[in-house]
Amino acid sequence: MKYHVHRIEVKGDTAQEKLQSFLNQLDGEVLAVIPYTSPTFQGMGATSKVDFLLIVEKTNSR
């Protein structure tokens, strides 16, 4: 059993479509989707934004 970690860049409103199309292309089992966030300051105060997603896939190849 092997694991593969994929990285998907996220920008604005395209995250849902990008993630959906990527997940439909995978052959293995998705174990986790991990967002990588960074702090940012906006007029309303401090928030965070998602820079990219890490997707952990379990593959059957040895």
Side-chain angles (χ1 to χ4, degrees), residues 20-42:
Q20 180 176 335
S21 65
F22 180 79
L23 291 174
N24 287 330
Q25 295 174 7
L26 293 177
D27 293 328
E29 177 183 350
V30 175
L31 297 180
V33 177
I34 305 164
Y36 183 86
T37 61
S38 62
T40 184
F41 185 79
Q42 306 222 346

Side-chain angles (χ1 to χ4, degrees), residues 36-61:
Y36 183 86
T37 61
S38 62
T40 184
F41 185 79
Q42 306 222 346
M44 63 188 150
T47 66
S48 63
K49 68 173 190 160
V50 176
D51 293 327
F52 59 87
L53 300 172
L54 295 176
I55 293 96
V56 182
E57 175 190 16
K58 181 170 73 169
T59 60
N60 293 328
S61 62

Side-chain angles (χ1 to χ4, degrees), residues 5-19:
V5 178
H6 306 274
R7 177 181 169 145
I8 297 179
E9 298 294 325
V10 175
K11 291 186 174 66
D13 296 336
T14 63
Q16 182 177 353
E17 291 84 15
K18 279 178 133 178
L19 181 60

